[in-house]
Amino acid sequence: MTTTITEPAGATAERGIRFTDDRRPPARPRAGRAGRAVGSIAIGFGLLVAIVLQLLPFYITVTTALKPRSDLSSQWVLPGDEWYWQNFTTAVDRGHILGAIGNSALVTLVSTLLVCALGALAAYPLARRTSVTNRLVMVGIVGLIMVPPLSILVPLYTMMNQLQAVNTYWGTILVMVATQLPLAIFLYASFMRGLPLSIEEAAAVDGASPVQILFRVVFPMLKPVTATVVILTSVAVWNEYALSVYLMRSPDMRTIAPAIGTFFASSGSDLGAAAAASLMSVVPVLAVYLVLQRYFIKGMVAGAEK
């Protein structure tokens, strides 16, 4: 019997042995490495362009907020030596932006808490009991996500007016919860279907009741999707305009979006004050996002894997 011993190419090269053409180890394809480098550069350039496009409106808002109405220079150019801060004062005094931010914070906070609680409770039986009825209910919930808010404006306003819920916090919160709840139920149900059922079965064997399983076992595992629901719901309620402008008509009850809209008029618009109010309204949302961004990314990745 003949045994063939194959030495590593590096050991053979160290002894000064030259290979013939047919025994030379295959060289790495340079074209493949060059293609990957070009692809990385193209991806980096595309991401850079996307970032610039995302930040461009913010830049124009900043340049507009720091110029007086008499400054007719291009919005692409930053103000010169002196920045004009009077637009922020006008936004606070004439637009009541601080009060509007407080109203939006109250409506957004309560609506988000209710959407998270009701969405998780409603999604649990839909995710764990796959009956025909639950499937039909889930299809109906997905259909509700597609309904545009303006299509229900007239009957909604009529009903809210009859209930004396116009210009009230509870009426606006009720509408915001009703419009955001279908998406929350869909996200929670999709996430719960991926959770292992064996954990709940083990808790039941240990003597836990269904309520204890729900609150002590299932709910703690919902942190990623809850962060996603919090971000999506809070941003949607904070920026909501189409319904809030009719439900909160009193100047003292306006939320942030209708309050900014008061700076735009057919007779003349104050773009500087509107830009300043927009910048002030971004601060609370940006702070919440920076705190929850880690959970938000986890929730989006988990939702994509489902």
Side-chain angles (χ1 to χ4, degrees), residues 217-282:
V217 178
V218 177
F219 279 2
M221 294 188 291
L222 301 180
K223 290 181 180 178
V225 68
T226 300
T228 304
V229 173
V230 167
I231 293 292
L232 295 178
T233 303
S234 59
V235 171
V237 174
W238 185 270
N239 295 328
E240 208 286 327
Y241 178 83
L243 299 178
S244 299
V245 71
Y246 298 101
L247 298 177
M248 306 287 266
R249 301 176 65 87
S250 173
D252 296 333
M253 300 295 292
R254 283 186 185 135
T255 53
I256 187 66
I260 295 176
T262 58
F263 291 106
F264 299 91
S266 57
S267 57
S269 301
D270 192 346
L271 298 181
S278 300
L279 292 177
M280 296 171 67
S281 68
V282 169

Side-chain angles (χ1 to χ4, degrees), residues 167-236:
N167 286 325
T168 61
Y169 290 119
W170 68 268
T172 305
I173 291 172
L174 184 65
V175 173
M176 295 298 113
V177 172
T179 53
Q180 299 299 321
L181 195 56
L183 179 60
I185 295 175
F186 174 76
L187 292 176
Y188 274 118
S190 300
F191 189 85
M192 288 179 181
R193 291 193 190 100
L195 297 178
L197 190 59
S198 58
I199 298 177
E200 301 173 37
E201 294 173 348
V205 171
D206 291 339
S209 64
V211 176
Q212 291 175 329
I213 293 174
L214 182 62
F215 283 93
R216 295 185 178 182
V217 178
V218 177
F219 279 2
M221 294 188 291
L222 301 180
K223 290 181 180 178
V225 68
T226 300
T228 304
V229 173
V230 167
I231 293 292
L232 295 178
T233 303
S234 59
V235 171

